Amino acid sequence: MDRIIKHLKNSRHVLLATHVNPDGDGLGSMIALGLVLDAMGRRITLYNESPIPAVFYFLPEVGRIVRKIKDFRDYDTAAILDCSDLGRVGESAAEIDQIPTVINIDHHITNSNFGNMQLISPDACASAEIVYRLIRRMGARIDKNIAISIYTGILTDTGSFRFANTNRAAFEICEEMIQIGVEPYMVAQKVYGAYSLGRIKLLNLALNSIEISSNRKMSMMTLTQKMLDETHTRSEDIDGLIPYAMGIADIRVAVLVRERHDSSQILAQRKRYHVSLPGRDWHFPGEEGESLKKNQFDVSLRSDGTVDVAAIAARFGGGGHSRAAGFSIETSLEDLKKQLFELSERF
Ligand SMILES: [Mn+2]
């Protein structure tokens, strides 16, 4: 930690970045560290490839986060927060890797140890806890804006102090942040009380889609692109839906299946293409067959701790940790469901 502090204090221009589709911890820990370095007179850039979810617009200095970097060679240091590997920052990973010093600050047990300096603590409830310890060790002042950022990181990553990573530090640090001026009700209202109507309608569709395995140990939620289109929601609105599937009594594993593209549209496009070919039979090859129904799916898995979902994800070429994992697959929805429900018989 001291090596990192010494390096940051002598840095010239620091790029701070977190993972694509950022969450409260990624954003909170990035902003908190950025503001501390800013106060120390370092040049900083806050960077994220994805749009910032609207619920996090209240975070201090969120408007300073940029989505494009003109020249990555401007930076002597990169601080990467809440990323289990560098690829999580998105398309610019290779360019960030060229920055002379890459500092890896994270709490995922699966962290790949990338970068030149690491501050990885799987016992920490959130990356924001690690950033808090780093700031304290630096002897830097935590003002209200920094406190809001740290508090939000811990609140969201522990699922409001409900998830298995909730530890004493979560309460102790948040208590200290409240002393500094954080208003818990204000943050809670912003994070959990400001959903769009579309997000609530999407929740309705998601709840309706829940299916339970015959042994009642696995629940599955399915979200189609059509559901997102109908409710005018985006990928980021899917965050926070899977705990509903996990919250059913006796469920050991919850699955969220997300369809990447609208399969009915793919079908319609192919139909149009075939119809427009002159001199051909009006024949739509494979319309009822396997190939047209194939689609790309993102699958998230959560476990109550009795089943290792990382092992399940690995069977499909994915990864994660024992309680939360995921994979992407190209298949048909029926096939995917069948395979997963078959696995659930062994839970
Ligand atoms: Mn995190």
Side-chain angles (χ1 to χ4, degrees):
M1 190 183 279
D2 291 336
R3 232 180 102 224
I4 291 175
I5 291 170
K6 199 174 158 212
H7 182 87
L8 286 173
K9 283 185 171 168
N10 293 310
S11 60
R12 187 175 47 78
H13 195 176
V14 185
L15 180 77
L16 294 112
T18 186
H19 51 84
V20 291
N21 305 316
D23 57 13
D25 188 33
L27 293 170
S29 54
M30 173 174 78
I31 292 170
L33 183 59
L35 292 183
V36 164
L37 295 174
D38 200 32
M40 282 168 32
R42 303 297 92 199
R43 265 182 84 196
I44 62 147
T45 302
L46 304 173
Y47 169 67
N48 195 275
E49 259 174 38
S50 311
I52 307 302
V55 296
F56 295 122
Y57 287 171
F58 77 98
L59 284 172
E61 308 286 331
V62 77
R64 277 174 73 175
I65 301 173
V66 297
R67 284 180 71 178
K68 283 251 158 7
I69 298 291
K70 253 190 235 130
D71 195 346
F72 285 90
R73 286 170 300 186
D74 287 345
Y75 300 88
D76 63 321
T77 304
I80 310 300
L81 295 127
D82 205 40
C83 292
S84 53
D85 67 79
L86 189 54
R88 295 280 292 125
V89 297
E91 283 170 16
S92 59
E95 282 161 295
I96 291 177
D97 203 21
Q98 297 299 309
I99 294 174
T101 304
V102 175
I103 304 172
N104 168 2
I105 300 173
D106 185 37
H107 68 125
H108 293 97
I109 195 159
T110 51
N111 191 289
S112 67
N113 243 33
F114 69 87
N116 311 89
M117 296 183 191
Q118 296 84 12
L119 192 52
I120 300 156
S121 160
D123 294 333
C125 62
S127 293
E129 177 186 336
I130 305 172
V131 166
Y132 165 84
R133 296 190 193 288
L134 187 68
I135 296 171
R136 279 284 174 243
R137 183 90 176 186
M138 281 175 167
R141 194 173 95 80
I142 296 182
D143 65 14
K144 191 174 167 183
N145 280 344
I146 295 168
I148 289 172
S149 309
I150 291 172
Y151 183 94
T152 303
I154 293 176
L155 180 78
T156 53
D157 243 32
T158 59
S160 307
F161 311 103
R162 287 178 296 132
F163 298 159
N165 55 330
T166 307
N167 56 8
R168 262 183 76 181
F171 291 97
E172 286 168 355
I173 296 168
C174 284
E175 194 269 345
E176 196 185 326
M177 298 306 107
I178 291 165
Q179 280 197 37
I180 292 170
V182 174
E183 296 159 70
Y185 181 67
M186 184 281 282
V187 177
Q189 274 302 105
K190 298 285 188 192
V191 174
Y192 302 116
Y195 287 123
S196 64
L197 178 60
R199 167 59 163 67
I200 301 297
K201 300 231 180 230
L202 182 69
L203 170 62
N204 177 39
L205 297 175
L207 294 176
N208 249 324
S209 78
I210 291 178
E211 296 166 87
I212 305 284
S213 65
S214 50
N215 62 7
R216 316 194 72 75
K217 288 177 182 168
M218 190 177 90
S219 59
M220 189 186 293
M221 200 179 242
T222 308
L223 286 174
T224 62
Q225 187 55 44
K226 199 162 161 256
M227 291 178 186
L228 272 85
D229 293 344
E230 277 173 10
T231 55
H232 306 289
T233 49
R234 293 183 295 184
S235 296
E236 66 214 47
D237 293 301
I238 292 173
D239 279 355
L241 293 179
I242 197 166
Y244 288 97
M246 194 65 230
I248 303 164
D250 303 322
I251 291 297
R252 295 186 171 184
V253 173
V255 182
L256 189 150
V257 175
R258 154 90 203 270
E259 179 194 61
R260 282 264 199 88
H261 312 285
D262 186 344
S263 44
S264 60
Q265 263 178 26
I266 293 170
L267 193 66
Q269 274 165 11
R270 292 195 195 186
K271 266 190 193 174
R272 238 175 291 147
Y273 173 72
H274 284 290
V275 171
S276 66
L277 282 177
R280 285 266 183 100
D281 290 341
W282 285 53
H283 170 61
F284 314 134
E287 190 182 341
E288 306 296 328
E290 272 298 276
S291 64
L292 278 184
K293 281 198 233 148
K294 274 199 178 171
N295 203 335
Q296 192 78 31
F297 296 94
D298 293 330
V299 181
S300 308
L301 304 158
R302 294 289 183 280
S303 158
D304 68 348
T306 60
V307 177
D308 179 7
V309 287
I312 297 177
R315 295 171 68 118
F316 294 93
H321 48 105
S322 61
R323 284 172 182 269
F327 62 91
S328 290
I329 191 170
E330 194 181 327
T331 181
S332 72
L333 185 56
E334 301 94 284
D335 248 25
L336 179 60
K337 284 187 177 182
K338 196 168 153 262
Q339 284 193 59
L340 288 165
F341 277 124
E342 267 170 23
L343 281 173
S344 76
E345 284 161 26
R346 287 189 241 153
F347 298 166

